[in-house]
């Protein structure tokens, strides 16, 4: 293995000895389960029960405290009530334990300040001693490679463990157990099942990084409520990408109510959900919606399929199954392959006259009479050069059908083509035989086709070149020299810069800013009109009034000097009436284009610079046709995201209009991201709305800008 | 039973005798299965195998042909190859058989004209004799109340039938079997499983009507590829609503590729999918996306739950389960109930200090130690007046937990409250016990909460008063006197009326049309400006150029007589240059408002008048922010639909703007629907874009209209 190993969690993941503080004789109590599991699942290290009130626990000699143990254990499990936990942690730290899993609840996950303070004291104590602390409020860690099951989850009694290529890391104990159960039910082995609880010291991201470094891991599943250290997760994602290990994550708290519930559950930090989406996208993490969605594509990933093409071939013994598959495929962006004429001719020789020879291929109910049809048809389809993906729908089968043979034929087919192949069979009696034959099989055909789409889309996402890798520099790592530069952000009276300061800063950054002049007299306004006309815009230039159009401080489309002078007077008087600091009046040419778009930059406290791409204008917030990107990103990535907006058809050109200059707009988006990376310490936000995007080749022009400095 | 029974399908649904033409000795051949099923599932009528080559079939005496049968059977199953089917149908018709199920494939579902012609000849022959024909290309009908299983579906061998309250009607054989299997797997009895195949004579809608009339049916599930007679389905839906029988339907062919596949599968007629949505909505039919979705809410419907409130309470032994439930609930439009302070106080006495007492209620892992927590908590929550719906999430359970007791407690709770209650348990070992206790239980909690949302939304949909019922007149029933009136549609040179003819027709219909004049000289234009100014619009009035703005035949915002005269000349010359018939120039006041919306009316060949409500302007098609309604509908229904559009926030008023006059716009939508109903024979379509909607109380004004007559 060429990767450098981060060993700080080695004591938790592969301990050579474990103490259980609060060990219980009852294997179904929190302090009893881990002891039982370590014995049962073949842990070969030494285990020391610590319990002051008993001489033996589950048949083993017990110790009154950590200090009296015959050796310093690598790992300690703390399974005592909340009020006894800090003392137990302190005892472990004093003894030199390398990692402690604190299962006790009643700390940071409550809303009580004293409970949070107690948690912080435990962390401080651990850090001072160089001990890693996992939890509190955790079900624990489990590594089935070495049987180190330091967990009290019930699921390991219900569903027998088997070591395998999957790692599960979750902030919730239950939501580590649920995907474990679902993955095991599919017959897949699971090595790591780790719950990080309150993430007080060791975080979910730390743990994700540790499992990505395990060469036996080939798929990582995460359940996240609060992402405190996105940089670490980004590092884990970068390493996973190098190792071709897909990461799939549920980030709960998608909605306001969900985030509120998460706060009261684990004291989670709330991040706007669209930032989470952008972050996952930037780092190639696939976002799942729930636990079933989290595991849905597991077999496809583990088969090693990494398809480039997206053309789907559907084969079924039911025309209706084919119709619904065509619907789902179109909705998922998987075009149906158009079969070669030669393929259709070969199919015609095998199938009844009333069967559909085009894709979706309908074998029809004739399969009941001729069990060989399935096996005869598949090799024909496999040879078709247009096929990238296969969906086999077995609508109904059973008595009278040779289902074993179908399953064998399907598995042989998938092996022969090497192309992603999924089966849907609503009857478990039928589906189980396909699963046993090694073909990924789903009860619901919608799920089957969506899994194919996820595989294709996730693979494509992981192939987007990351800019950070070009410089050899992990993203967001500020200890490295900055690649991106920007001039200093000017200082104003408050955090908001005036329009002219905002525009001049952006121009200095190389952004396509409208030509403008700041005028303080009628004579200057007249002069500006002569230089910038034939039609101009006037607007007040006060930093104190960001929403100028709502205060009638903007006058559009002025033609003729008289109109300009009159408007200059109106705007000046309006500013005086509002009592706002008068930074002059901006005169700029009236720009027309294909569409008003917008860009935004915000510096998120945890996630850093985030660029928003949006349809622009006065209703930006109300219509909310926008998406977010994590810089640095390329023009191509910006265009891909822009083209997912609802406004996209207009940008492509409709009703005889030329397309808009998307390239120039996206270049501005890229540059805005670079400004965010370079000037991050000085910036809070930049709003550019509208940006007038002209016809293709004619550019995009920022006509309105608001820069907000970071509060010192 | 007070409903009048439509008896034309009685012979197919409850035959007193059945002949099987093409009866086979092999119970796994198409002609063998029905015979086997009739024997096996307790059919008490008389069964006559017809097979010229055998004396006995499956142990029973066989007859050489239908003519030689000892009695005229009520129902004949035709299970012979396609080329022999027409003769068999003819023999049945001649003998006086009342209904024939033609299982043979190779007719209208192929794209061969001669096959379609053969199908049409069979139908004509049947109709002449007064015999109903089911199919061809069908797996057949099955009624488990009387054991009349005239079907060859394999599924009845795989999953044991039990009579019950569910009726399944499908155009696909497999897609009748799949929901049967899924419903039976949930332990629910199914009475009717009918596949209508090519719908050549008896349609899916006829069959749906027949099962709705069965007083034992309490839930109807449909699979539809092509809806040929929506009026009949509308009648079935109206009767189902009276009987409180929910109808849930999959209409496949949602996408272009899906519709293409459906055409090649059963020769389906393609209907734009949004019309299907509008039709289902109008008639209270819930649209499901796939087979699993079709059955997902079955238990909730069959419990008789018809909730009015939508406030959800979540109780779980996992905080993460609660967080995800909160997310799903918000996305489904189910607000989380805010629990009473007294409820929280009572919860505090039962739960550990670190548990969440607010909704979602987190019992925590303490459930492992105290199995009574679940039963103690539920009655407290049940007493809370704000709760309408309950979701109980059992994240993980098993050894150490008293799952039987949880299930009993949950069932007792649901019975006591009478309120909809669902459980999610990802482990089947746990879920099965809740199912056995009679609580609707799901593996995936997303599915559980979505089922609650479907129940609430579908119940609300069924409570929308249908206008047709107010007049005692079934919708779309043209044999009844028309309730709605409209003046005659003027005749033009072609199907398209000129702008002024369109506007004047609409004004005569009582629609809010802009004040305008048609001018044929500069003097008339000047006069019009004086009357209609201070700012006017000019546009050409030719019926031959519907997209005027693309030909510069529209000039906006003219102020001053000189500008009007100049524009009059420009537009007149442009019309002459285009060689278009000159119907004059329209002068109308320049109207400003809050938003440009649009309305459309189209007369669908099958579905009749359909009204489109949309965000308006030049990009109507490109941005496609629109929805459809089937008239007649109320202003409230129009508003509900309008408020689902993306433009809705702007109509409510943002950035200090007053709300738009949604009421006036919706009144115009209602009237447009009435025009469609009244003038349906003369109309093809009406486009009203833009309709300028002014601030609340100030009305909506149609400024542009295009009426298209139906081609004679």
């Amino acid at each position: 293995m060429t990767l450098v190993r981060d060993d700080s969690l080695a004591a938790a993941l592969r301990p050579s000895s474990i103490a259980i503080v609060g060990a219980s004789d009852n294997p179904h109590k929190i302090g009893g389960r881990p002891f039982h599991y370590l014995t049962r699942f073949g842990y070969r290290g030494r285990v020391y029960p610590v319990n002051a009130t008993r001489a033996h626990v589950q048949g083993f000699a017990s110790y009154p405290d950590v200090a009296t143990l015959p050796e310093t254990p690598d790992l300690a499990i703390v399974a005592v009530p909340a009020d006894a936990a800090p003392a137990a942690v302190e005892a472990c730290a004093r003894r030199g334990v390398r990692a402690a899993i604190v299962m006790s609840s009643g700390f940071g996950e409550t809303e009580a300040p004293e409970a949070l303070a107690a948690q912080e004291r435990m962390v401080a104590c651990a850090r001072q001693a160089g001990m890693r602390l996992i939890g509190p409020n955790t079900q624990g860690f489990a590594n089935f490679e070495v049987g180190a099951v330091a967990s009290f989850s019930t699921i390991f009694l219900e569903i027998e463990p088997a070591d395998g290529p999957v790692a599960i890391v979750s902030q919730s104990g239950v939501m580590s157990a649920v995907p474990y159960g679902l993955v095991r039910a599919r017959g897949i082995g699971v090595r790591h099942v780790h719950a990080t609880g309150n993430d007080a010291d060791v975080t979910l991201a730390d743990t994700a990084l540790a499992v990505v470094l395990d060469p036996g891991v080939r798929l990582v599943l995460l359940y996240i409520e609060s992402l405190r250290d996105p940089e670490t997760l980004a590092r884990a994602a970068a390493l996973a990408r190098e190792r071709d290990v897909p990461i799939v994550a549920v980030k709960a708290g998608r909605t306001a109510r969900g985030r509120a519930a998460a706060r009261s559950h684990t004291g989670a930090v709330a991040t706007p959900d669209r930032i989470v989406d952008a972050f996952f996208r930037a780092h190639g993490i696939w976002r799942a919606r729930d636990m079933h969605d989290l595991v849905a594509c597991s077999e496809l990933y583990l088969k090693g399929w990494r398809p480039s093409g997206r053309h789907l071939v559907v084969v079924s013994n039911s025309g209706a199954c084919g119709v619904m598959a065509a619907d789902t495929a179109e909705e998922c962006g998987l075009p149906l392959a158009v079969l070669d004429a030669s393929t259709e001719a070969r199919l015609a020789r095998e199938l009844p006259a009333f069967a559909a020879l085009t894709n979706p291929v309908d074998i029809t109910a004739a399969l009941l009479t001729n069990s060989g049809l399935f096996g005869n048809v598949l090799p024909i389809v496999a040879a078709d050069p247009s096929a990238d993906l296969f969906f086999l729908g077995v609508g109904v089968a059973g008595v009278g059908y040779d289902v074993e043979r179908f399953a064998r034929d399907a598995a042989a087919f998938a092996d022969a083509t090497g192309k992603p192949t999924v089966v849907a069979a609503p009857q478990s009696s039928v589906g189980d035989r396909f699963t046993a034959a090694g073909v990924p099989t789903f009860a619901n055909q919608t799920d089957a086709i969506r899994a194919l789409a996820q595989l294709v889309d996730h693979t494509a996402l992981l192939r987007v070149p990351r800019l950070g890798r070009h410089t050899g520099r992990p993203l967001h790592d500020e200890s490295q020299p900055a690649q991106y530069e920007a001039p200093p952000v000017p200082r104003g009276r408050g955090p908001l810069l005036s329009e002219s300061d905002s525009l001049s800063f952006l121009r200095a950054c190389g952004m396509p800013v409208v030509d403008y002049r700041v005028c303080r007299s009628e004579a200057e306004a007249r002069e500006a009109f002569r230089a910038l006309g034939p039609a101009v815009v006037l607007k007040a230039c006060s930093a104190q009034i960001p929403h100028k159009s709502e205060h009638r401080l903007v006058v559009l489309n002025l033609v003729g000097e008289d109109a300009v002078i009159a408007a200059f007077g109106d705007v000046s008087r309006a500013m005086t009436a509002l009592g706002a600091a008068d930074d002059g009046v901006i005169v700029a040419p009236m720009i027309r284009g294909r569409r008003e778009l917008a860009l935004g930059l915000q510096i998120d406290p945890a996630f850093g610079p985030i660029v928003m791409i949006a349809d622009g204008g006065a209703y930006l917030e109300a219509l909310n046709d926008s998406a977010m990107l994590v810089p640095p990103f390329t023009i191509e990535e910006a265009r891909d995201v822009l083209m997912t907006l609802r406004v996209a058809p207009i940008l492509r050109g409709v009703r005889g209009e030329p397309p808009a200059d998307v390239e120039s707009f996206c270049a501005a988006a890229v540059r805005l991201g670079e400004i965010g990376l370079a000037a991050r310490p000085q910036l809070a936000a930049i709003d550019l709305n509208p940006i007038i995007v002209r016809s293709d080749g004619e550019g995009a022009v920022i006509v309105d800008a608001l820069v907000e400095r970071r509060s010192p």
Side-chain angles (χ1 to χ4, degrees), chain A residues 125-467:
Chain A
C125 167
R127 288 196 174 152
Q128 204 171 11
M131 178 175 83
R132 298 305 309 260
L133 187 145
I134 292 149
N137 187 34
T138 174
Q139 285 194 354
F141 274 28
N143 176 351
F144 290 102
E145 186 194 8
V146 294
V149 185
S151 165
F152 68 88
S153 177
T154 300
I155 201 73
F156 307 127
L157 292 171
E158 295 291 308
I159 299 168
E160 192 63 21
D163 186 24
V166 177
I168 296 165
V169 184
S170 165
Q171 286 173 328
S172 150
V174 169
M175 294 310 150
S176 70
V178 169
Y180 164 86
L182 296 173
V183 168
R184 290 288 304 119
R186 290 167 171 257
I188 303 170
V190 178
R191 172 166 298 179
H192 296 279
V193 185
H194 306 315
T196 61
N198 289 4
D199 280 25
D201 171 37
V202 172
T203 64
L204 172 123
D206 292 333
T207 315
L209 184 57
V211 299
V212 165
L213 285 163
D214 180 338
V217 167
R218 289 172 49 227
L219 173 64
V220 174
L221 307 177
L222 307 177
Y223 173 83
I224 308 171
E225 284 185 13
S226 165
L227 196 48
R228 286 163 211 252
D229 50 349
E231 296 85 353
T232 307
L233 187 57
R235 209 152 62 234
L239 286 169
R241 187 190 299 233
E242 278 181 26
R243 290 201 44 234
D244 190 29
V245 173
I247 301 180
V248 185
V250 166
K251 166 68 179 66
R254 289 194 303 272
T255 64
R257 282 314 293 256
R259 282 191 290 278
R263 245 187 328 274
S264 72
H265 167 220
T266 50
V269 178
T271 303
D273 201 55
R274 287 144 43 87
I275 292 184
V276 174
D277 278 339
F279 175 82
F280 281 6
R281 184 179 198 291
H283 298 288
I285 298 170
W286 188 262
R287 187 166 189 183
R289 294 181 67 79
D290 59 35
M291 289 296 120
H292 286 72
D293 199 22
L294 180 66
V295 307
C297 199
S298 299
E299 285 131 309
L300 283 70
Y301 288 125
L302 292 172
K303 286 276 183 186
W305 292 327
R306 300 290 185 269
S308 306
R310 28 194 332 133
H311 285 87
L312 176 68
V313 173
V314 173
V315 179
S316 172
N317 65 336
S318 153
C321 168
V323 174
M324 288 193 289
D327 279 340
T328 308
E330 182 164 328
E331 287 166 345
C332 292
L334 300 181
L336 292 188
V338 177
L339 298 179
D340 249 31
S342 66
T343 305
E344 295 188 10
R346 293 179 63 198
L347 286 173
R349 286 198 287 275
E350 296 294 338
L351 291 175
F354 49 87
L357 307 177
T358 52
N359 183 14
V361 179
D362 178 8
I363 301 184
T364 78
L367 186 61
L368 178 57
T369 343
N370 177 2
S371 274
L373 276 182
F374 209 69
N376 296 351
V377 160
L378 290 182
I380 300 173
V381 171
D384 195 292
S386 65
D388 300 313
L389 312 164
F390 297 97
F391 166 74
L392 312 179
V394 185
V396 170
V399 179
Y401 292 88
D402 189 347
V403 178
E404 287 293 354
R405 182 169 166 187
F406 301 162
R408 268 197 322 273
D409 288 344
F413 163 80
D415 287 346
T417 65
K419 294 177 184 172
T421 302
V422 295
V423 168
Q427 294 159 270
S428 58
S429 56
V430 176
D432 288 350
R433 308 223 209 146
F434 282 87
T435 302
V439 191
T441 303
F442 298 78
N444 186 344
Q445 68 173 57
T446 309
D447 295 342
I449 295 169
R450 281 195 188 144
L452 282 178
Q454 176 178 336
L455 181 74
V456 172
D457 289 338
H458 195 179
T459 302
L461 190 60
L462 287 166
R463 287 189 181 139
V464 174
R466 291 307 304 151
L467 287 191

Side-chain angles (χ1 to χ4, degrees), chain A residues 449-517:
Chain A
I449 295 169
R450 281 195 188 144
L452 282 178
Q454 176 178 336
L455 181 74
V456 172
D457 289 338
H458 195 179
T459 302
L461 190 60
L462 287 166
R463 287 189 181 139
V464 174
R466 291 307 304 151
L467 287 191
R469 299 223 3 247
H470 291 173
T471 64
R473 179 178 80 93
L475 301 180
H476 296 292
D477 185 343
E478 297 198 346
S479 67
Q480 305 281 335
Q483 179 188 17
Y484 304 105
E485 292 182 5
V489 183
R491 293 181 182 282
R493 292 192 188 85
L496 295 180
L497 302 194
S498 75
E499 174 100 30
S500 71
D501 283 352
S502 298
L503 289 170
S504 72
F505 169 68
L506 290 162
R507 179 180 288 164
C509 291
M511 295 284 276
V513 170
V514 70
D515 204 9
Y516 71 94
R517 298 191 185 186

Side-chain angles (χ1 to χ4, degrees), chain A residues 39 56 119-120 255 269 279 393 459 484 486 596 623:
Chain A
T39 315
H56 290 85
Q119 175 174 307
E120 284 169 0
T255 64
V269 178
F279 175 82
T459 302
Y484 304 105
E596 294 187 354
L623 294 179

